[in-house]
Amino acid sequence: MSGRQNSSVPALRIYHPEHLRLGATLLLSIGLMVVPSFFALPDWVLRGLLTVGLTLLAVALLLLFQSRLRINARAMAVELLTGFIEKDATPSFVTDDDGTIHACNQAAQNRFEDNDRETLAGALRSVLANPSAVLFRLQSRARFEGSAREDIVTRRGHVRLAVHQMHGGSFLWRVEDIAERQSGRGSESVPIPMITVGRTGAVLFMNEAARKLVGERVKSTDRLFVTLPVSSGEVNTITTKNGPLDVLVTELNRTQGRSELFLMEVNTAELQGPKTSFEHMPVPIIKLAPSGDILSLNKMAMGMLGVKGRENLKLAQLMEGLGRPMSDWLRDTADGLASNKSEFLRLSRPDKEVFVQVTLTRSVEEGNTIIIAVLNDATELKTLEAQFVQSQKMQAIGQLAGGVAHDFNNLLTAISGHCDLLLLRHDQGDQDFGDLIQIHENANRAASLVSQLLAFSRKQTLLPEVLDVRDTLSDLTHLLNRLVGEKVTLTLSHDPVMRPIRADKRQLEQVLMNLVVNARDAMPNGGEIRVRTEAVTLDTPLKRDRAAVPEGNWITVKVSDEGVGISPDQLQKVFEPFYTTKRTGEGTGLGLSTAYGIVKQTGGFIFVDSVPDKGTQFTLFFPVYQEGQDGQVEVAEVPAPKDAPAPQHGEGVVLLVEDEAPVRAFASRALRMRGYTVLEAESAEDALRTLEDPGLTVDVFVTDVVMPGMDGPTWVREALKTRPDTRVVFVSGYAEGAFGESEPDVPNSVFLPKPFSLNQLTETVHAQLH
């Protein structure tokens, strides 16, 4: 290859397959014109052959002319480019589409002088194990994007391979060694000041921590250190922009003639002796063998790792979470193949959870390759990350729970509704009556379970009212005493100065019962459960866990026990749905998640504190109700109690819009049985088409809120433009959360949550008409 590039003009291949094709075309055309003259052939045959031969000759000459133009253009481009890259210090090649080398500069000849290859793949075989695949990948990208590059880790270090497509179909390749540059960049992540010093004392590199310490970049050690030579393991004085500064210097030789200096700011008055060694560096540092054996570690590292010595210790025993074998990471670092990126690992400590950021650096000590591991406490960062992931997970679970509850409510509406229709045709003497009652009761139990899912996802229908927590607890005391049993004592204490809150009394009672029952289950041998209320004024926001309680007036309810407690690793999971520490069959795992959802939907906060074997305390914060303030949650209007007398006859026309066919079938039958005229539509669009008839009179719209296409509030607003006096009943399995952030501004409308019974539906429509 080097012999081909001795002249200033790059050597080109003379013979191309294109030339062979042109030659064959010329021979064929000449043959068609000349050979027939030697044979006795009719004139018309000779004229035809002559015409074909002349045509082929013209085509061949045209192709030859175009080919010469392309070849000359390529030669000119290669010649110009060779003159441009000849003095480039980076090995560069010019190749054709097949990878054949047309030209290369002197740097390429020097770097690949042992490779007498005609193709780029052959020249790079000493550097890359499989150059053909890499070249094909980059060349394909260059055809599409115009250029491409890739950093490749090889046995010799890091190589950057770049390619640019030129006019005429040629490619310019550059092969750049970036091993030293990568090493410097990787040191940026080292959290302590570090500089790389050359043989002559030149400062080759300073990481960001060192630049901040000194205040500027320096080019040599004589401008940085007051006295030379630098004394490793001792305090040296350096010159900074803010004046002289005493630093502890630790020197680590990485290669011959080149070393890395770690600088640690110290207070000389606090030093115990004239010399301070590696053991006393104020940053956790570990010296490792490439095998992972710990050679030495300083006091800071021992304190962080929770060990007392280094005997028979390996790095893999002290930390985990790399995602691949620790030995591979250490071996790659020792061989110079690692990317020099920091890794976040978890320490294998039984007493507490600690995360560390570990940065590995290759070094040479007494002729042997070692690895320096610098540790940085990342527990707070990883804790915040875990909290964010937990928040995202809880939000996703809440959305899933709300969606599941919506679909179940539609099913339960159809089941319980058709069961109501059957019960109307059976009395207590029928043999099927008992079975229908069982279906009805189990449907109600399923509805209660769905209600808990909605409570967790904060999409449950609430009926907030102004309450005194003391009165609520007094009304609940008798039931709570029955729940706790004879072994457990229930003690109530109240703040004498209490202020009202605004909440759903029924849901608040459910929260308190869940907390008391959990406290009872945590004390199988008996004990005391204390429920204490208190008025609290916060002058500043109270921040704890992942929440911040705003300043203002609050009412707190604390439920504490003397039970087994909750371990720290389980404490953050207690509000997750379906998470329970009880045995199978003893709990659903929805109690605390339901309490969490109800409290949050009411505008409050709930926290938990626990000490294993000593007890647990749940603290609830409710905002104090201010006279005349808007409710914390929306009030959903519901019909009269289920056992109220149903109207015997109904008058009026009802437009029923429901996309679920079973629910629509039940609702239409129930309304017709009460005497109403029912028009059915399976979508909002169908409903609007029905209302296009100006002679049609409709008294009530009964519509689902969430439907494919146009939703309930949207089509109702459109319909009310021409029928402003029509009453509206919204129904939805999403209950209160069906309307999103705010209740739709629809006059004369009420809301009926699913699942609803036959009586609830007919009574609601009757109330709207009267």
Side-chain angles (χ1 to χ4, degrees), residues 244-278:
L245 182 68
D246 292 332
V247 293
L248 173 65
V249 179
T250 300
E251 182 178 11
L252 300 173
N253 294 320
R254 186 168 62 181
T255 57
Q256 288 186 348
R258 178 169 165 169
S259 60
E260 291 178 342
L261 303 180
F262 291 88
L263 314 177
M264 300 304 303
E265 185 177 357
V266 296
N267 185 352
T268 54
E270 297 178 354
L271 297 180
Q272 297 179 356
K275 297 188 71 173
T276 303
S277 64
F278 161 84

Side-chain angles (χ1 to χ4, degrees), residues 275-291:
K275 297 188 71 173
T276 303
S277 64
F278 161 84
E279 298 290 337
H280 297 87
M281 291 188 68
V283 169
I285 298 180
I286 306 175
K287 289 184 180 180
L288 301 163
S291 61

Side-chain angles (χ1 to χ4, degrees), residues 698 701 716-728 746-748:
V698 178
F701 297 150
V716 167
R717 291 191 192 97
E718 184 68 24
L720 290 179
K721 292 179 181 178
T722 56
R723 301 170 183 267
D725 297 328
T726 308
R727 302 296 180 126
V728 184
V746 177
N748 301 321

Side-chain angles (χ1 to χ4, degrees), residues 31 92 141 183 187 208 255 275 293 379 428 487 492 500 548 625 652 660 664 675:
S92 304
R141 287 169 50 194
S183 176
S187 301
E208 184 179 358
T255 57
K275 297 188 71 173
D293 294 313
T379 304
Q428 296 185 4
K487 294 183 179 180
L492 302 178
Y625 173 72
E660 290 285 341
R664 190 171 65 251

